[in-house]
Amino acid sequence: MSSTFHGLQVAKRGMDAQQAALYTIGHNVSNANTPGYTRQRVSLETFPAYPAPGMNQAGTAGQIGMGVEASTVERIRDTFLDTQYRDETIKVGYWDARAGALEKMEEIMNEPTEDGLSAVFNQFFESIQDVASHPSEAGSRSVMIERAEAVGNTFSYLSTSLKTIQGDLQKERDVAVTQVNSLLEQMNNVNQQIQNVEPNGYLPNDLYDERDRLLDELSKFIPVSVEYTKSGENASAPSEGVVTVQLQTSRGPITLLDGQNHQVNAISLKTNQDSYVTEIHIGGQSRNPELFPQGKLKGLIEASGYIDSSGDKTGVYASMIDHLDEMAYEFVNWFNDKHQQGVTLEGNKGISFFNDVSQKEGAATGIVIADKIKQNTNNIAAASGAAGTDRQGDGQNAQLLSQFRQNVLINSGNQDVSLDGFYQSIIGQMSVDAQQANRLKSNSETLQGAVEQRRQSTSAVSLDEEMTNMIQFQHAYNASARMITMIDEMLDKIVNGLGTGGR
Amino acid sequence: MRVTQGMLAANSLKQISNSYNKLETLQNQLSTGKKITRPSDDPVVATKGMAYRSNLSEVNQYKRNLTEAQSWFDNSESGLEQVNSILQRTKELVVQGLNGTNGSDDRQAIAREIEQLKMDYMQVGNTQVAGNYIFNGVNVGAPPISENTSGMIESNINLDPFSIEVSKGIQLRVNIHAENIFGQGSFDLMNNIQTAFEQNDVSSLKDLSTQLDTQISTLLAERSELGARSNRLELIGNRLDSQEITATKMLSDNEDAEIEKVITDLTVQESLHRAALGVGAQIIQPTLLDFLR
């Protein structure tokens, strides 16, 4: 026999449970636009029935239900999609960093246009040809010097601009490291909060969301794998525990965040005097930048330059700067060499046209016309043959000089190429690299978008759905309340209406 | 699939942003007239473009060189024309002098005219064009012919060819073989004729007359050679013209946008964009909330 007030208790529980569901709907609706928010659902379960089933229970026919209970509030989320999403995010981060760096480089190199290095080469060629056909004319000689100056300035401008962007990328890279470390620190805090709450049987859903959001964020920079360790004591079954984050490298994993011991192993970069990365330190281990896994950080390291395992400077900008230096070096040496073989307007043996450049490194910023040439245009050695004053109309050497683009030989990959060929091939290489980076960036963004769609499809808040649920729970709440009124009437009948016969 | 408001908004935003990107590409093509704005849009077009440009620049330069060569030919030709008149007049005078009717005084007068012609001859040899002595090989800074202190004409001609590159690897000699026309022998001949008239030496005039004929035929030979080279230049010029057209066309085919296609694409894209915006506005707005009281 159940108690008199049984019905009141059942109805009250009903109201409590529907209220919990309504509050959760309120929470969902409020967070409909919160980044990383996962919609939550209250699991409604029937309250253990009376009497509990058993052999010696005082028998009533069947059980009387004791109503409903709001057992847990759970997130609706698919962790498999999280892994997929983060895998794509890693690629997006890497290709985005690379594409961004190459895009700036394309802007600097500015080819093919009327202002790029190859256009300046064209003008220089034309001015030397003019000297070849008017060797005795001071005007055409002056123009040739101006154009040579333009060649030097362009080389220098390109090299300096590339170095400036490289410097910016190095700063961006350092900021990225700081961000990674800060994310790990934040995750550590969230871990601690989770560990404080879970043992009491609570499900800190919003903390889980925060942690997952931080993991999404982190996976832009570096690829990580996560492991969960359950909290002890009275933790409820769906609780997730604290997270341990590891960086997977080709030489085994390195722990970035130890969840149980609340320890963060920060990443730090070791750089040389040019700010090229030489080594990456994490938690007492170090990795060569080459072995560092893909991600935005790797993209930035590759773009801004690092020292590879054989000790060479490598990287998108580093190699372009090197190529320009090599071109400048070969150009100046070839030009000087040929110029020295000529004869000046005054009949003397030719001197160096440009100041000598002794080493490849920095050659692009060191193309300076020799003072003697600048001061006296007659010192341009346009004539060929033996020294003497009777060769003012000889432009044979100038003609030879005008072939600077076809004849300068640069050894590139065991193949001798002309200056023009070399320049076209480095521009070609740059454009192909940029094209690839853009394509893969766009591809990985598309894939990331698709996974994000599926994730949203599972976890995002739908206002229509929440409103429908709200109506549903509201009616259930109202009905429970109506139950109380009904029981009230029933009790009224029992208390005030019974036993009044004959009154 | 379960679809939420947030997803609709995000999708709509993505589509609109994609649409903007396409509009930007087309508008760039329209305003620059180029297919590509950066090399990565099409690496092949970019590197080819660089090669075509330097090709075109070379062709243009060779055309300029060609004009220069033409100017040398024209000036040389007019110099030779003057030499021709001088030699023809001298021939007339020699023929006249051989005539027995001339007295000693007449021959002295002829000698004076021959002297003037000789000086004229020398001046032609020292023709300057834009400050260059065009009949002195590569030694353009110095006059090839001079008068020494005793009034004798001395010719000292530089034999080196003055060449101009008129096409890749093709050098064309633009000066004449001046030693044949303005060599010491020519002036000696004029001098000898003058002396023969002065000394009334009719017997040697006959021999000198033969030498003069040889000189005239040398001149003719030189003129025809110059003409032949001028023809060759013309052929090279024609070739450069067609090379320029080809190079310009290749450059254009390679990187110029087809405007009519771009405009059509742009119009299509604009209407798609409008539709995307319209649909976005329609879809995003209403929720169930709008219909609940």
Side-chain angles (χ1 to χ4, degrees):
Chain A
M1 178 72 190
S2 55
S3 81
T4 315
F5 297 131
H6 170 95
L8 275 180
Q9 289 305 319
V10 171
K12 185 188 140 276
R13 275 193 208 106
M15 286 173 72
D16 281 351
Q18 307 307 327
Q19 200 175 30
L22 283 169
Y23 288 162
T24 303
I25 285 168
H27 187 53
N28 282 340
V29 170
S30 322
N31 284 295
N33 293 325
T34 310
Y37 181 77
T38 312
R39 68 189 167 116
Q40 297 174 6
R41 277 286 166 269
V42 177
S43 329
L44 297 176
E45 286 171 19
T46 50
F47 201 79
Y50 174 84
M55 286 286 283
N56 355 324
Q57 285 302 334
T60 36
Q63 299 181 348
I64 292 186
M66 298 290 278
V68 69
E69 160 181 62
S71 64
T72 49
V73 183
E74 282 179 68
R75 298 192 302 160
I76 299 176
R77 195 175 177 104
D78 183 345
T79 50
F80 176 65
L81 291 174
D82 283 342
T83 317
Q84 273 194 324
Y85 177 80
R86 284 169 202 154
D87 282 350
E88 292 307 325
T89 310
I90 291 159
K91 292 177 201 153
V92 172
Y94 176 76
W95 291 113
D96 187 41
R98 217 179 147 80
L102 282 160
E103 185 179 350
K104 290 193 195 97
M105 185 184 277
E106 286 187 275
E107 278 161 17
I108 292 172
M109 299 313 288
N110 202 13
E111 294 288 355
T113 56
E114 316 306 329
D115 326 290
L117 183 60
S118 79
V120 176
F121 276 164
N122 284 341
Q123 291 180 346
F124 188 44
F125 162 82
E126 287 166 14
S127 71
I128 307 177
Q129 279 277 328
D130 278 343
V131 171
S133 50
H134 308 88
S136 60
E137 225 178 72
S140 52
R141 284 170 176 259
S142 303
V143 172
M144 176 174 158
I145 289 175
E146 291 306 316
R147 294 283 161 84
E149 197 132 33
V151 170
N153 288 346
T154 308
F155 262 112
S156 174
Y157 164 79
L158 293 179
S159 184
T160 317
S161 309
L162 289 175
K163 281 176 190 157
T164 308
I165 301 291
Q166 189 185 30
D168 292 348
L169 287 168
Q170 283 163 348
K171 281 189 206 112
E172 200 180 337
R173 172 199 71 196
D174 294 343
V175 170
V177 170
T178 317
Q179 276 176 300
V180 167
N181 291 335
S182 151
L183 286 169
L184 291 171
E185 216 41 78
Q186 290 176 53
M187 231 177 285
N188 194 26
N189 284 337
V190 175
N191 260 349
Q192 283 177 3
Q193 291 178 49
I194 288 173
Q195 214 176 27
N196 289 340
V197 177
E198 280 185 341
N200 298 321
Y202 297 123
L203 277 185
N205 286 324
D206 298 334
L207 288 175
Y208 296 154
D209 278 353
E210 174 67 3
R211 184 199 57 205
D212 288 340
R213 194 186 61 76
L214 290 171
L215 280 169
D216 286 352
E217 197 72 15
L218 188 64
S219 64
K220 276 185 203 161
F221 297 98
I222 46 172
V224 290
S225 60
V226 288
E227 277 168 25
Y228 298 94
T229 316
K230 290 266 181 196
S231 297
E233 301 187 36
N234 199 22
S236 70
S239 72
E240 294 179 11
V242 290
V243 68
T244 292
V245 180
Q246 285 189 319
L247 177 73
Q248 300 295 339
T249 75
S250 56
R251 297 234 175 117
I254 307 176
T255 303
L256 292 168
L257 168 63
D258 182 342
Q260 277 178 297
N261 301 315
H262 305 306
Q263 197 202 332
V264 170
N265 292 325
I267 294 182
S268 67
L269 300 180
K270 200 178 155 198
T271 55
N272 68 5
Q273 71 275 11
D274 296 329
S275 199
Y276 282 64
V277 180
T278 52
E279 259 178 4
I280 298 162
H281 290 277
I282 314 155
Q285 297 202 49
S286 68
R287 289 285 186 274
N288 186 283
E290 268 176 317
L291 299 170
F292 199 73
Q294 223 180 37
K296 184 178 177 183
L297 187 55
K298 170 87 164 181
L300 288 171
I301 288 173
E302 278 184 358
S304 62
Y306 62 94
I307 305 295
D308 65 16
S309 50
S310 45
D312 294 327
K313 285 181 182 175
T314 318
V316 178
Y317 275 73
S319 68
M320 186 53 98
I321 291 167
D322 275 358
H323 287 326
L324 283 177
D325 279 346
E326 188 170 6
M327 270 174 75
Y329 178 80
E330 299 292 346
F331 163 69
V332 167
N333 278 324
W334 183 91
F335 206 85
N336 277 347
D337 182 48
K338 293 285 180 273
H339 191 259
Q340 281 166 5
Q341 289 168 26
V343 175
T344 68
L345 195 60
E346 284 155 2
N348 302 318
K349 203 84 198 116
I351 52 167
S352 281
F353 187 87
F354 297 104
N355 285 344
D356 285 322
V357 172
S358 54
Q359 56 169 12
K360 277 186 189 169
E361 197 170 335
T365 48
I367 303 182
V368 180
I369 298 168
D371 282 343
K372 278 192 176 168
I373 303 275
K374 244 189 195 167
Q375 285 153 7
N376 186 356
T377 58
N378 291 351
N379 282 332
I380 293 176
S384 63
T389 51
D390 58 350
R391 311 192 59 82
Q392 297 192 356
D394 181 0
Q396 292 300 307
N397 200 48
Q399 230 152 53
L400 193 72
L401 287 172
S402 78
Q403 294 160 6
F404 69 97
R405 297 197 294 188
Q406 282 95 47
N407 286 15
V408 178
L409 293 180
I410 295 178
N411 191 282
S412 158
N414 295 326
Q415 200 187 352
D416 284 337
V417 292
S418 65
L419 195 71
D420 247 9
F422 184 74
Y423 186 54
Q424 276 170 25
S425 81
I426 60 174
I427 293 295
Q429 186 62 50
M430 173 193 78
S431 4
V432 172
D433 279 354
Q435 193 188 33
Q436 188 201 28
N438 290 339
R439 190 176 52 229
L440 289 172
K441 177 190 159 198
S442 143
N443 284 355
S444 48
E445 274 174 353
T446 308
L447 284 173
Q448 187 199 34
V451 178
E452 175 64 6
Q453 279 286 309
R454 273 187 282 161
R455 204 160 75 147
Q456 291 280 312
S457 169
T458 313
S459 302
V461 176
S462 157
L463 292 179
D464 292 345
E465 190 181 319
E466 298 299 325
M467 287 304 104
T468 314
N469 287 340
M470 186 183 82
I471 293 165
Q472 188 185 337
F473 291 120
Q474 196 182 3
H475 280 301
Y477 179 89
N478 291 349
S480 290
R482 184 73 185 80
M483 259 315 272
I484 289 178
T485 319
M486 185 276 288
I487 292 166
D488 177 39
E489 283 168 7
M490 200 171 80
L491 290 174
D492 183 48
K493 179 59 86 184
I494 293 167
V495 176
N496 300 319
L498 291 186
T500 56
R503 220 195 283 176
Chain B
M1 192 158 100
R2 184 178 166 273
V3 180
T4 68
Q5 275 79 25
M7 287 161 73
L8 283 181
N11 256 338
S12 197
L13 197 63
K14 205 167 87 189
Q15 301 306 343
I16 290 169
S17 143
N18 272 346
S19 172
Y20 265 125
N21 277 335
K22 284 178 193 157
L23 281 175
E24 192 208 7
T25 310
L26 291 168
Q27 264 165 6
N28 268 337
Q29 288 186 351
L30 201 57
S31 53
T32 60
K34 301 283 176 205
K35 274 185 218 161
I36 61 168
T37 39
R38 48 181 66 249
S40 57
D41 292 344
D42 194 334
V44 179
V45 167
T47 44
K48 269 187 176 175
M50 287 164 71
Y52 291 150
R53 269 159 219 267
S54 59
N55 199 357
L56 190 61
S57 145
E58 277 176 13
V59 171
N60 282 332
Q61 181 60 37
Y62 289 136
K63 283 185 79 176
R64 272 174 66 177
N65 290 0
L66 196 105
T67 316
E68 178 65 19
Q70 193 61 55
S71 133
W72 274 78
F73 285 165
D74 293 348
N75 285 304
S76 300
E77 171 60 26
S78 79
L80 290 183
E81 176 56 37
Q82 286 177 54
V83 172
N84 187 39
S85 329
I86 290 165
L87 290 180
Q88 293 301 341
R89 178 65 189 153
T90 312
K91 177 73 185 169
E92 277 173 37
L93 291 171
V94 169
V95 171
Q96 194 185 340
L98 281 171
N99 194 330
T101 56
N102 286 301
S104 161
D105 284 353
D106 295 334
R107 292 210 166 95
Q108 284 304 325
I110 291 173
R112 293 287 71 76
E113 190 175 346
I114 299 274
E115 190 181 9
Q116 288 310 308
L117 286 172
K118 185 180 74 181
M119 297 313 284
D120 208 18
Y121 199 167
M122 181 178 93
Q123 268 167 16
V124 174
N126 283 340
T127 302
Q128 267 182 296
V129 175
N132 293 330
Y133 290 94
I134 62 170
F135 295 120
N136 199 16
V138 294
N139 190 10
V140 295
I145 304 148
S146 55
E147 234 178 324
N148 68 10
T149 42
S150 53
M152 290 298 290
I153 290 178
E154 280 182 2
S155 165
N156 185 16
I157 287 174
N158 182 299
L159 299 178
D160 289 334
F162 191 112
S163 316
I164 291 180
E165 197 170 53
V166 285
S167 197
K168 203 168 208 156
I170 297 176
Q171 297 205 13
L172 196 67
R173 179 182 180 139
V174 294
N175 61 344
I176 61 162
H177 298 98
E179 65 276 14
N180 294 340
I181 313 298
F182 302 102
Q184 190 63 49
S186 327
F187 294 103
D188 286 351
L189 176 64
M190 293 296 281
N191 214 36
N192 291 343
I193 294 171
Q194 186 193 335
T195 317
F197 276 109
E198 278 167 359
Q199 294 173 355
N200 222 352
D201 182 1
V202 182
S203 58
S204 66
L205 264 182
K206 277 185 182 159
D207 180 41
L208 289 169
S209 170
T210 323
Q211 284 183 39
L212 193 58
D213 286 342
T214 317
Q215 182 64 26
I216 288 172
S217 58
T218 310
L219 176 77
L220 286 176
E222 198 59 48
R223 281 185 81 170
S224 25
E225 198 207 312
L226 191 63
R229 267 192 275 148
S230 188
N231 278 347
R232 189 175 161 211
L233 192 71
E234 220 168 289
L235 286 177
I236 294 173
N238 290 342
R239 201 165 65 223
L240 283 176
D241 282 344
S242 66
Q243 265 180 21
E244 189 189 14
I245 293 168
T246 315
T248 314
K249 187 175 177 301
M250 274 158 83
L251 189 68
S252 167
D253 282 353
N254 184 52
E255 58 189 51
D256 285 354
E258 270 179 76
I259 297 300
E260 62 277 16
K261 185 178 180 297
V262 176
I263 291 177
T264 314
D265 288 352
L266 189 67
T267 317
V268 171
Q269 192 55 45
E270 268 170 0
S271 56
L272 283 177
H273 188 68
R274 237 174 255 278
L277 287 173
V279 168
Q282 290 296 316
I283 285 180
I284 291 168
Q285 230 174 17
T287 69
L288 185 58
L289 207 58
D290 296 309
F291 304 99
L292 293 177
R293 270 182 298 113

